[in-house]
Amino acid sequence: MSNIPTKTRSWILTNKPTGLATISGDKPTFTLETRDLPALQNDQVLVKALYYSNDPAQRGWISPTIPEGRLYVPPVEVGTAMRTRGLAEVIDSKSDKVPKGTIVSGTTDWNEYVVLDASAVTPVQPLPGGLSLTHYLGALGGTGLTAYYGLVKVCEAKKGEKIVVSGAAGATGSMVVQIAKNIVGASNVIGIAGSDSKCRWVESLGADKCLNYKSPSFAKDLKEATKDGVDVYFDNVGGEILDLMLGNMSMHGRIAACGSISGYNSDDEPTILKNYFQVITMRLQLRGFIIIDYLPKAGEALKLFREAIQEGKLKVGDENETVVPTKFEDVPKTWLTLFSGGNTGKLVTKLEG
Amino acid sequence: MSNIPTKTRSWILTNKPTGLATISGDKPTFTLETRDLPALQNDQVLVKALYYSNDPAQRGWISPTIPEGRLYVPPVEVGTAMRTRGLAEVIDSKSDKVPKGTIVSGTTDWNEYVVLDASAVTPVQPLPGGLSLTHYLGALGGTGLTAYYGLVKVCEAKKGEKIVVSGAAGATGSMVVQIAKNIVGASNVIGIAGSDSKCRWVESLGADKCLNYKSPSFAKDLKEATKDGVDVYFDNVGGEILDLMLGNMSMHGRIAACGSISGYNSDDEPTILKNYFQVITMRLQLRGFIIIDYLPKAGEALKLFREAIQEGKLKVGDENETVVPTKFEDVPKTWLTLFSGGNTGKLVTKLEG
């Protein structure tokens, strides 16, 4: 019992940010604190966090401008640890079902150690081919499911269609590219990403073309690349690229509004659409979605993913994630690289020490 | 033969407007010209215009900023008569099917007289109860069909749902209110209109409530009136009211993007959405539509309308239209009242003389 910790370091939300989150200054977004762990109760486990998932959506959970009741989960409360999903090792247990030593996925939040109900964690099984368990946070978890259901259910993407995806080098976008090309059977898949090297990677995943949105000729390049039409646009970024796409969609085109990362750190900035009128004239459909609505059916998609991996249609491996070894003091810093284009594929924090 | 005209006065599009259309100044939008009529060919008719339909959508047809190929009809070309539908009397005919004296509907454009192919005009039948034929341009024409298909097909509005409609005192909106309440069976219908007197009229059509968007407390009033949720929003106006509605829709709410009249006379002004993120968090669906896609099925809806009128579920009469007796010189002036809130129900130009 002597090695069981009684305290944990945690990154606490201390102020909701209006721009990029901070850890210093007058109103730091996050503050590193050490807190007592509660005593373990029956049917609970004490876990040590190993990996954290990093997701643009987390920024929405701490936004000061989303009104009450207009988010799909409760916002993170000031004074509590920043919310995240993670992988963790059970280091103490009062649950027969989840014994000590089990590796689980669950909502660890930004805690080194945390007491969770055993019913709230999911033991994870080894993956075939020696794949890293971190893929449960990405391609084989919520990220991959977001890509699949967004494309197949929200956009109703069909074989032979022309598909554009933004944030194509990101966790979700890079899965959209592969699913579009190799599972849906799109005739043309165009990615949009933030550097030439990311674009080459997106093309290596199967995109017919990938465009760098930081290029001065991007708007023109996009117009040219989409001149034969766009049936489906999977939007991870919102903002200006969404606006350009409204001007490039085919008649009756469908857009999945998955994210709007371009606006996540400018809470007071509105979305400005010069081409809104084309929603009407071109009869476009824009549908927002949140993956939690599809989780009850997730088994079906995950089965399909496993088959697709075996058939070589879905490449899931080290190159699909950016795993950043991180000291606990630097947890927010690693998360922030999401917004500076620091990752290709899923950004995963690997806790050191 | 002596009374058959050989010339016509016409309002010609001479410059595409960037703001409100004009008929004077350096670059008048419309110019009154007198032109020769072509000789009548076989299977053609010469018609005298009696009534013109006035529709916000016409502004889109002369917009300088909608790129080529991104409108649902060819734009009106500079140098040609402004496009409109109308009712007209056949005053000369080389068609057995459409003899002299027939009243027809068709695309007369802003011409006093015009030669049309007989196949391009539709003879209109008298309406029961002595209803004015002008309703073929409104409630029993494209306007009514827009309301019906937008609500029933685009929004998939269902019995017992809560429905909001903007532009509720306009031609389409006032039909949406009646169809929502009396045909769909909505549990709550809230209209939005531009004056208190319009609002009282909208309530007389069956709306449970109508809010004046010019009131200083409008945003608060709308929030209060929609606090029990909004399943369906029928959007005729775009802009700020659309933005407010994004913040008031229920989870999985559906929006029909029918028009965005608030932006029609400010071609360079973008649509600014502070609440865009809620499209994602609340899983909203926004669908643009154009009635021409539904015209092949129009017979079905028009049959239902006739039954609904007989059953008293749909009130169509003088109070559903604003018929403005207009000298030909003033045709653009009457049309412009669309944008200054001058009409309740359908705005119809009745040509004098």
PDB file of all heavy atoms in Angstrom, chain B residues 39-52:
ATOM      1  N   ALA B  39     -42.281  40.566 -85.444  1.00  0.00           N
ATOM      2  CA  ALA B  39     -43.484  40.054 -86.106  1.00  0.00           C
ATOM      3  C   ALA B  39     -43.865  38.716 -85.485  1.00  0.00           C
ATOM      4  O   ALA B  39     -42.997  37.930 -85.105  1.00  0.00           O
ATOM      5  CB  ALA B  39     -43.210  39.889 -87.606  1.00  0.00           C
ATOM      6  N   LEU B  40     -45.151  38.505 -85.354  1.00  0.00           N
ATOM      7  CA  LEU B  40     -45.655  37.271 -84.740  1.00  0.00           C
ATOM      8  C   LEU B  40     -45.416  36.080 -85.670  1.00  0.00           C
ATOM      9  O   LEU B  40     -45.734  36.126 -86.854  1.00  0.00           O
ATOM     10  CB  LEU B  40     -47.159  37.466 -84.489  1.00  0.00           C
ATOM     11  CG  LEU B  40     -47.841  36.606 -83.440  1.00  0.00           C
ATOM     12  CD1 LEU B  40     -47.210  36.780 -82.074  1.00  0.00           C
ATOM     13  CD2 LEU B  40     -49.334  36.987 -83.382  1.00  0.00           C
ATOM     14  N   GLN B  41     -44.830  35.015 -85.149  1.00  0.00           N
ATOM     15  CA  GLN B  41     -44.582  33.795 -85.937  1.00  0.00           C
ATOM     16  C   GLN B  41     -45.645  32.749 -85.579  1.00  0.00           C
ATOM     17  O   GLN B  41     -46.369  32.897 -84.602  1.00  0.00           O
ATOM     18  CB  GLN B  41     -43.189  33.238 -85.610  1.00  0.00           C
ATOM     19  CG  GLN B  41     -42.054  34.222 -85.775  1.00  0.00           C
ATOM     20  CD  GLN B  41     -41.826  34.637 -87.217  1.00  0.00           C
ATOM     21  OE1 GLN B  41     -41.932  33.813 -88.131  1.00  0.00           O
ATOM     22  NE2 GLN B  41     -41.585  35.923 -87.435  1.00  0.00           N
ATOM     23  N   ASN B  42     -45.668  31.691 -86.348  1.00  0.00           N
ATOM     24  CA  ASN B  42     -46.589  30.589 -86.028  1.00  0.00           C
ATOM     25  C   ASN B  42     -46.314  30.065 -84.620  1.00  0.00           C
ATOM     26  O   ASN B  42     -45.165  30.005 -84.190  1.00  0.00           O
ATOM     27  CB  ASN B  42     -46.417  29.436 -87.044  1.00  0.00           C
ATOM     28  CG  ASN B  42     -47.111  29.784 -88.346  1.00  0.00           C
ATOM     29  OD1 ASN B  42     -48.039  30.611 -88.379  1.00  0.00           O
ATOM     30  ND2 ASN B  42     -46.654  29.165 -89.431  1.00  0.00           N
ATOM     31  N   ASP B  43     -47.399  29.669 -83.943  1.00  0.00           N
ATOM     32  CA  ASP B  43     -47.306  29.139 -82.576  1.00  0.00           C
ATOM     33  C   ASP B  43     -46.787  30.173 -81.572  1.00  0.00           C
ATOM     34  O   ASP B  43     -46.237  29.817 -80.540  1.00  0.00           O
ATOM     35  CB  ASP B  43     -46.446  27.868 -82.510  1.00  0.00           C
ATOM     36  CG  ASP B  43     -47.042  26.765 -83.369  1.00  0.00           C
ATOM     37  OD1 ASP B  43     -48.283  26.587 -83.307  1.00  0.00           O
ATOM     38  OD2 ASP B  43     -46.289  26.116 -84.114  1.00  0.00           O
ATOM     39  N   GLN B  44     -47.012  31.419 -81.901  1.00  0.00           N
ATOM     40  CA  GLN B  44     -46.676  32.493 -80.957  1.00  0.00           C
ATOM     41  C   GLN B  44     -47.936  33.305 -80.642  1.00  0.00           C
ATOM     42  O   GLN B  44     -48.916  33.274 -81.376  1.00  0.00           O
ATOM     43  CB  GLN B  44     -45.604  33.421 -81.540  1.00  0.00           C
ATOM     44  CG  GLN B  44     -44.211  32.792 -81.576  1.00  0.00           C
ATOM     45  CD  GLN B  44     -43.145  33.805 -81.915  1.00  0.00           C
ATOM     46  OE1 GLN B  44     -43.381  34.723 -82.695  1.00  0.00           O
ATOM     47  NE2 GLN B  44     -41.964  33.626 -81.327  1.00  0.00           N
ATOM     48  N   VAL B  45     -47.844  34.009 -79.505  1.00  0.00           N
ATOM     49  CA  VAL B  45     -48.926  34.922 -79.136  1.00  0.00           C
ATOM     50  C   VAL B  45     -48.334  36.281 -78.774  1.00  0.00           C
ATOM     51  O   VAL B  45     -47.195  36.363 -78.315  1.00  0.00           O
ATOM     52  CB  VAL B  45     -49.740  34.399 -77.921  1.00  0.00           C
ATOM     53  CG1 VAL B  45     -50.552  33.163 -78.307  1.00  0.00           C
ATOM     54  CG2 VAL B  45     -48.847  34.100 -76.732  1.00  0.00           C
ATOM     55  N   LEU B  46     -49.117  37.310 -79.031  1.00  0.00           N
ATOM     56  CA  LEU B  46     -48.755  38.654 -78.554  1.00  0.00           C
ATOM     57  C   LEU B  46     -49.641  38.930 -77.348  1.00  0.00           C
ATOM     58  O   LEU B  46     -50.877  38.818 -77.442  1.00  0.00           O
ATOM     59  CB  LEU B  46     -49.012  39.696 -79.648  1.00  0.00           C
ATOM     60  CG  LEU B  46     -48.863  41.158 -79.218  1.00  0.00           C
ATOM     61  CD1 LEU B  46     -47.418  41.482 -78.817  1.00  0.00           C
ATOM     62  CD2 LEU B  46     -49.327  42.104 -80.331  1.00  0.00           C
ATOM     63  N   VAL B  47     -49.027  39.251 -76.213  1.00  0.00           N
ATOM     64  CA  VAL B  47     -49.829  39.471 -75.011  1.00  0.00           C
ATOM     65  C   VAL B  47     -49.650  40.891 -74.488  1.00  0.00           C
ATOM     66  O   VAL B  47     -48.617  41.534 -74.712  1.00  0.00           O
ATOM     67  CB  VAL B  47     -49.475  38.463 -73.874  1.00  0.00           C
ATOM     68  CG1 VAL B  47     -49.592  37.021 -74.356  1.00  0.00           C
ATOM     69  CG2 VAL B  47     -48.093  38.741 -73.289  1.00  0.00           C
ATOM     70  N   LYS B  48     -50.673  41.340 -73.809  1.00  0.00           N
ATOM     71  CA  LYS B  48     -50.635  42.621 -73.096  1.00  0.00           C
ATOM     72  C   LYS B  48     -50.563  42.304 -71.603  1.00  0.00           C
ATOM     73  O   LYS B  48     -51.439  41.597 -71.072  1.00  0.00           O
ATOM     74  CB  LYS B  48     -51.896  43.419 -73.395  1.00  0.00           C
ATOM     75  CG  LYS B  48     -51.925  44.741 -72.667  1.00  0.00           C
ATOM     76  CD  LYS B  48     -53.219  45.509 -72.884  1.00  0.00           C
ATOM     77  CE  LYS B  48     -53.020  46.909 -72.291  1.00  0.00           C
ATOM     78  NZ  LYS B  48     -54.268  47.529 -71.899  1.00  0.00           N
ATOM     79  N   ALA B  49     -49.537  42.794 -70.938  1.00  0.00           N
ATOM     80  CA  ALA B  49     -49.368  42.489 -69.508  1.00  0.00           C
ATOM     81  C   ALA B  49     -50.458  43.165 -68.686  1.00  0.00           C
ATOM     82  O   ALA B  49     -50.790  44.330 -68.919  1.00  0.00           O
ATOM     83  CB  ALA B  49     -47.993  42.945 -69.030  1.00  0.00           C
ATOM     84  N   LEU B  50     -51.018  42.409 -67.736  1.00  0.00           N
ATOM     85  CA  LEU B  50     -52.051  42.948 -66.846  1.00  0.00           C
ATOM     86  C   LEU B  50     -51.523  43.097 -65.416  1.00  0.00           C
ATOM     87  O   LEU B  50     -51.785  44.092 -64.750  1.00  0.00           O
ATOM     88  CB  LEU B  50     -53.255  41.994 -66.820  1.00  0.00           C
ATOM     89  CG  LEU B  50     -53.903  41.676 -68.178  1.00  0.00           C
ATOM     90  CD1 LEU B  50     -54.994  40.628 -67.989  1.00  0.00           C
ATOM     91  CD2 LEU B  50     -54.481  42.947 -68.808  1.00  0.00           C
ATOM     92  N   TYR B  51     -50.802  42.094 -64.960  1.00  0.00           N
ATOM     93  CA  TYR B  51     -50.271  42.072 -63.588  1.00  0.00           C
ATOM     94  C   TYR B  51     -48.842  41.542 -63.622  1.00  0.00           C
ATOM     95  O   TYR B  51     -48.541  40.612 -64.379  1.00  0.00           O
ATOM     96  CB  TYR B  51     -51.082  41.128 -62.691  1.00  0.00           C
ATOM     97  CG  TYR B  51     -52.530  41.511 -62.490  1.00  0.00           C
ATOM     98  CD1 TYR B  51     -53.535  40.946 -63.287  1.00  0.00           C
ATOM     99  CD2 TYR B  51     -52.894  42.409 -61.492  1.00  0.00           C
ATOM    100  CE1 TYR B  51     -54.867  41.283 -63.094  1.00  0.00           C
ATOM    101  CE2 TYR B  51     -54.226  42.741 -61.290  1.00  0.00           C
ATOM    102  CZ  TYR B  51     -55.200  42.178 -62.090  1.00  0.00           C
ATOM    103  OH  TYR B  51     -56.528  42.504 -61.898  1.00  0.00           O
ATOM    104  N   TYR B  52     -48.003  42.085 -62.754  1.00  0.00           N
ATOM    105  CA  TYR B  52     -46.669  41.517 -62.563  1.00  0.00           C
ATOM    106  C   TYR B  52     -46.549  40.960 -61.143  1.00  0.00           C
ATOM    107  O   TYR B  52     -47.014  41.578 -60.182  1.00  0.00           O
ATOM    108  CB  TYR B  52     -45.562  42.578 -62.708  1.00  0.00           C
ATOM    109  CG  TYR B  52     -45.413  43.170 -64.087  1.00  0.00           C
ATOM    110  CD1 TYR B  52     -45.088  44.521 -64.226  1.00  0.00           C
ATOM    111  CD2 TYR B  52     -45.560  42.395 -65.236  1.00  0.00           C
ATOM    112  CE1 TYR B  52     -44.924  45.083 -65.486  1.00  0.00           C
ATOM    113  CE2 TYR B  52     -45.405  42.957 -66.494  1.00  0.00           C
ATOM    114  CZ  TYR B  52     -45.088  44.304 -66.620  1.00  0.00           C
ATOM    115  OH  TYR B  52     -44.923  44.859 -67.854  1.00  0.00           O
TER     116      TYR B  52
END
